[in-house]
Amino acid sequence: MQIGMIGLGRMGANMARRLQRDGHDVVGYDVVADTVESLTSEGSITGASSLDDLVGKIDAPRSIWIMVPTHFVPSTVKGLVPLLDEHDIVIDGGNSFYRDGIDTAADLAERGIHYVDVGVSGGIWGLEKGYSLMIGADDSAVERLTPVFTSLAPGVEAAPRSPGRTGDPAPEEEGWLHCGPSGAGHFVKMIHNGIEYGIMAAISEGFAIMERADIGSETRKRDAETTPLRNPEYFQFNFDLAKVAEVWRRGTVIRSWLIDLTAAALVSDGELSGYEGFVSDSGEGRWTVNAAVEEGVPASVIAAALYQRFSSRDQGDFGDKLLSAMREQFGGHAEQPS
């Protein structure tokens, strides 16, 4: 089928390529003209020079996928919608806040335009392996877009069938799911990313503990401000973390794609010298924690992982300094630099 793609960055470009490879006619636009020209020259898209040009090159009723950073979604929708007709579909494939999707869907419904929120997971590997899609929309929009979802998704062969599943594979076994009405797709993707925060934090903490397991062989300070290591003989290990990650990929309970990526990172740069440890958060972890608070659901692991990301960016510096200041004030404890 014919589909428009607005935003041809790392994700949007590869999604356009995957759709084109499966026989879809993709009309693409990006604010960076060179990106459009590059994809046009390789035959992945029909290029458009503007939103107006893109809309004009797509037959009605149109389906247009927006794949831009979250903070550009409102302005993109605002510029796009006046150019559309009744029964057209606007798809937001970014990591937008699910409440914004609910509100936008209600606004566009008054114009007779469908709004579909799609949580997309797959990253830079999606071109070859496919994208997991979590969808919020009305039934008619999902039905029209089913060929697109099927082409983008990994397919049944991406994982063994779960015990108890029989008959023809369901969409979720292909890698896409109509989660519910507007907002549902981005809500499910939000929780997915919150879980991702927690898993990543646990993996990184475990490897950090192993990385320091040779502390018993170090010469340590002996003063009133430094807790002594009582049994240094029990901390004399010098682990090859790349090899640990590699063995954990095979047969362990925690084997996963994230462990695979950890192994790849460590074999490439065992000291991780190319990284500063500045870990960003793009919003989904915060929204997950906020949702948990409003629902009264304990989510201590995800919350702790979110706060760890804040700490990685030195956003806890003032609090840390104040802790040190209080110790000095009440006990005369001199700060010990590392």
Side-chain angles (χ1 to χ4, degrees):
M1 64 178 286
Q2 191 179 43
I3 185 167
M5 181 70 72
I6 300 173
L8 301 171
R10 288 174 299 177
M11 291 285 284
N14 279 343
M15 291 171 71
R17 291 184 177 103
R18 188 172 173 90
L19 288 169
Q20 186 272 333
R21 290 179 183 179
D22 209 34
H24 297 278
D25 176 14
V26 183
V27 181
Y29 168 69
D30 193 279
V31 293
V32 180
D34 288 348
T35 301
V36 178
E37 183 178 345
S38 176
L39 285 170
T40 301
S41 64
E42 71 179 48
S44 296
I45 65 169
T46 299
S49 59
S50 65
L51 293 180
D52 198 2
D53 186 31
L54 178 134
V55 171
K57 289 180 175 177
I58 302 174
D59 299 329
R62 306 171 185 87
S63 299
I64 300 177
W65 195 302
I66 299 173
M67 205 66 193
V68 300
T70 302
H71 51 284
F72 289 124
V73 171
S75 60
T76 303
V77 172
K78 184 178 180 180
L80 177 65
V81 167
L83 307 173
L84 300 181
D85 299 318
E86 189 176 2
H87 305 305
D88 287 350
I89 300 175
V90 176
I91 307 139
D92 177 10
N95 284 325
S96 297
F97 188 31
Y98 78 96
R99 293 188 181 184
D100 294 339
I102 294 173
D103 295 341
T104 302
D107 291 341
L108 296 194
E110 295 179 0
R111 298 170 175 259
I113 299 172
H114 302 273
Y115 193 75
V116 178
D117 53 280
V118 181
V120 181
S121 186
I124 59 176
W125 300 88
L127 175 60
E128 300 302 329
K129 296 182 178 295
Y131 302 88
S132 178
L133 307 173
M134 295 141 268
I135 302 152
D138 61 83
D139 292 342
S140 61
V142 173
E143 184 177 354
R144 280 172 53 187
L145 292 170
T146 291
V148 170
F149 298 147
T150 301
S151 293
L152 288 173
V156 179
E157 63 277 4
R161 299 195 79 179
S162 297
R165 283 191 175 269
T166 58
D168 293 335
E172 59 269 25
E173 293 182 274
E174 296 178 3
W176 67 274
L177 176 65
H178 183 193
C179 300
S182 297
H186 280 157
F187 190 96
V188 173
K189 180 56 162 49
M190 174 184 78
I191 302 303
H192 165 281
N193 284 22
I195 292 170
E196 179 184 298
Y197 280 33
I199 296 173
M200 291 175 68
I203 292 171
S204 64
E205 288 175 5
F207 276 88
I209 295 168
M210 288 188 289
E211 195 271 337
R212 292 288 286 150
D214 65 345
I215 192 173
S217 61
E218 297 178 0
T219 301
R220 292 175 57 82
K221 296 178 182 178
R222 293 182 178 274
D223 55 55
E225 303 302 323
T226 305
T227 303
L229 185 65
R230 294 183 59 186
N231 299 104
E233 67 273 19
Y234 296 141
F235 295 93
Q236 301 282 335
F237 304 111
N238 185 15
F239 295 115
D240 186 323
L241 298 185
K243 291 182 179 180
V244 173
E246 196 64 35
V247 75
W248 280 0
R249 294 181 60 213
R250 294 167 168 80
T252 68
V253 172
I254 63 168
R255 65 188 183 275
S256 64
W257 190 45
L258 287 173
I259 293 292
D260 292 346
L261 298 178
T262 299
L266 290 171
V267 78
S268 174
D269 180 4
E271 301 297 322
L272 302 179
S273 56
Y275 302 90
E276 295 293 331
F278 184 103
V279 187
S280 299
D281 75 287
S282 54
E284 299 88 348
R286 303 183 191 209
W287 303 335
T288 299
V289 172
N290 289 341
V293 170
E294 293 193 33
E295 294 175 1
V297 174
S300 54
V301 171
I302 296 174
L306 174 65
Y307 294 148
Q308 191 277 332
R309 293 193 178 202
F310 295 163
S311 180
S312 78
R313 306 197 296 266
D314 297 330
Q315 289 173 246
D317 270 8
F318 184 81
D320 292 340
K321 290 176 181 178
L322 191 56
L323 284 172
S324 187
M326 285 188 283
R327 292 187 79 247
E328 183 180 43
Q329 289 290 324
F330 68 66
H333 301 285
E335 188 173 69
Q336 297 294 311
S338 57

